[in-house]
Amino acid sequence: MKKFILTIFLIVGFSHNALALSVFACEPEWASLVKEIAADKVEVYSATTALQDAHYIQAKPSLIAKIRKSDLVVCSGADLEIGWLPLILRKSGSSKIQEGGANLIYASQYVNTIEKPTRIDRADGDVHPDGNPHIHLNPYNVLKISEVITQRLSDINADNADFYNNNFRVFREKLSAKIKEWEQKARTLNGMTVITNHRNMSYLFEWLKIKTVATLEPKPGIPATSKHLSELSELALRNKVSLIAYAPFESPKPAEWLSKQTGIKSVVMPYTVGGTKDTDNLFSLYENSIDIMLNAMDK
């Protein structure tokens, strides 16, 4: 009898997994967003973690194997994954997730990107012609992308369209309400000036009316130099910089050096889902990002 029950359990479990859609997310934020909408109707794989810089990922065979089985791919786009995603898409051999297809979502295509360069020159470092690709740190952008993902999931799996749309409505209402709370909570941060390692938090700061006056990188993608950091010391004091911020996958040394020279607090921000121990979804990502800055200002 026990063997019979176990067999039935395994068959049911296998059937559930076999019927679930497979979603390949390039970054943790998009994996989290898909789970908000699709819950257990999908199996989501994130190609990167919060401790990895999505600019610099190796196109490993394991990624090719994962993306080959995917029904939907969700990535930031705007050339964030240019160094590895095109290769694994080609190697996958799957026609449904190729460039231009409906099952490949580049989130940056559905929002207004910021910081578009006025010229494209390799001498300027790792610039993105289509603008800053780190769009997820503005929750208004996530609201727009959630609608796109819901529609694509519904197109792929019409049988669960009502489920996806109901979850989307719940998510939209909850996030919209939380945005108002966060904006009220972060009012004291409005007008604050910051220095970041890279411009990967620009959307967060723009949303909260915080000004980025400089980066620890002399040019995008170029590690901080002693000369540049020395110049930033004067600039930081002159611009009354309140905070020096960096992401979990970035070296803390340049921020700590500048903090020691200027007395300005340096903090590691979560950047994405999983960036801190308490950041396990999109809601806690925004909540903790604001709390970290508020706490730094109180000390």
Side-chain angles (χ1 to χ4, degrees):
M1 184 64 180
K2 289 182 178 179
K3 289 184 178 180
F4 175 76
I5 293 173
L6 178 60
T7 301
I8 295 298
F9 176 79
L10 290 174
I11 291 173
V12 171
F14 176 78
S15 298
H16 170 76
N17 290 333
L19 292 173
L21 291 181
S22 177
V23 179
F24 182 101
C26 286
E27 292 86 28
E29 57 267 21
W30 307 127
S32 182
L33 181 56
V34 169
K35 290 298 287 184
E36 291 283 352
I37 297 164
D40 62 352
K41 303 297 183 185
V42 300
E43 294 178 347
V44 184
Y45 173 78
S46 179
T48 59
T49 73
L51 301 182
Q52 294 176 294
D53 188 340
H55 289 91
Y56 311 111
I57 300 298
Q58 291 184 326
K60 296 181 179 179
S62 58
L63 291 182
I64 297 171
K66 285 288 186 181
I67 205 167
R68 179 180 291 132
K69 300 175 183 178
S70 299
D71 299 294
L72 179 67
V73 176
V74 185
C75 300
S76 295
D79 285 353
L80 177 61
E81 308 93 355
I82 193 66
W84 54 278
L85 181 61
L87 177 59
I88 66 172
L89 285 172
R90 289 196 301 272
K91 293 284 187 179
S92 73
S94 175
S95 59
K96 63 184 176 183
I97 55 170
Q98 295 304 311
E99 296 286 349
N103 293 17
L104 173 58
I105 297 175
Y106 287 129
S108 59
Q109 292 181 348
Y110 299 92
V111 301
N112 294 320
T113 57
I114 62 176
E115 299 175 351
K116 290 184 179 181
T118 55
R119 69 170 193 168
I120 305 298
D121 192 322
R122 293 183 66 86
D124 294 331
D126 184 18
V127 296
H128 297 278
D130 294 324
N132 191 315
H134 309 282
I135 65 170
H136 66 284
L137 281 172
N138 185 328
Y140 288 103
N141 287 341
V142 168
L143 281 174
K144 293 178 182 178
I145 306 309
S146 65
E147 187 170 2
V148 175
I149 291 174
T150 301
Q151 184 60 59
R152 296 297 169 83
L153 287 171
S154 299
D155 291 342
I156 296 169
N157 183 208
D159 289 346
N160 286 316
D162 287 344
F163 179 85
Y164 301 139
N165 279 283
N166 287 337
N167 280 0
F168 163 67
R169 284 190 287 269
V170 171
F171 174 76
R172 180 181 59 190
E173 291 173 8
K174 182 180 177 182
L175 184 57
S176 297
K178 291 298 294 184
I179 288 173
K180 293 179 181 178
E181 291 181 23
W182 292 326
E183 289 175 345
Q184 179 66 23
K185 183 178 184 178
R187 281 199 311 169
T188 57
L189 300 176
N190 294 173
M192 185 174 76
T193 54
V194 298
I195 288 176
T196 59
N197 186 73
H198 180 77
R199 287 189 176 272
N200 46 22
M201 300 180 214
S202 294
Y203 288 91
L204 173 70
F205 296 143
E206 183 190 54
W207 168 44
L208 298 177
K209 299 180 176 61
I210 296 170
K211 182 181 179 182
T212 304
V213 298
T215 60
L216 299 174
E217 296 176 333
K219 294 179 180 179
I222 307 299
T225 63
S226 298
K227 178 183 178 182
H228 181 63
L229 290 175
S230 295
E231 292 171 349
L232 286 183
S233 296
E234 295 182 11
L235 182 147
L237 295 174
R238 187 167 63 249
N239 286 272
K240 297 180 180 180
V241 169
S242 303
L243 202 65
I244 304 165
Y246 60 97
F249 52 81
E250 296 170 332
S251 171
K253 291 182 179 180
E256 291 173 350
W257 184 91
L258 186 60
S259 175
K260 186 176 180 180
Q261 294 297 311
T262 60
I264 299 169
K265 181 77 173 180
S266 69
V267 295
V268 57
M269 302 284 285
Y271 174 71
T272 188
V273 175
T276 63
K277 64 179 182 178
D278 299 321
T279 307
D280 56 1
N281 58 39
L282 289 164
F283 293 94
S284 55
L285 170 62
Y286 302 122
E287 186 82 33
N288 291 341
S289 296
I290 292 170
D291 285 344
I292 287 170
M293 290 187 287
L294 288 174
N295 291 336
M297 293 301 95
D298 289 340
K299 296 179 180 179

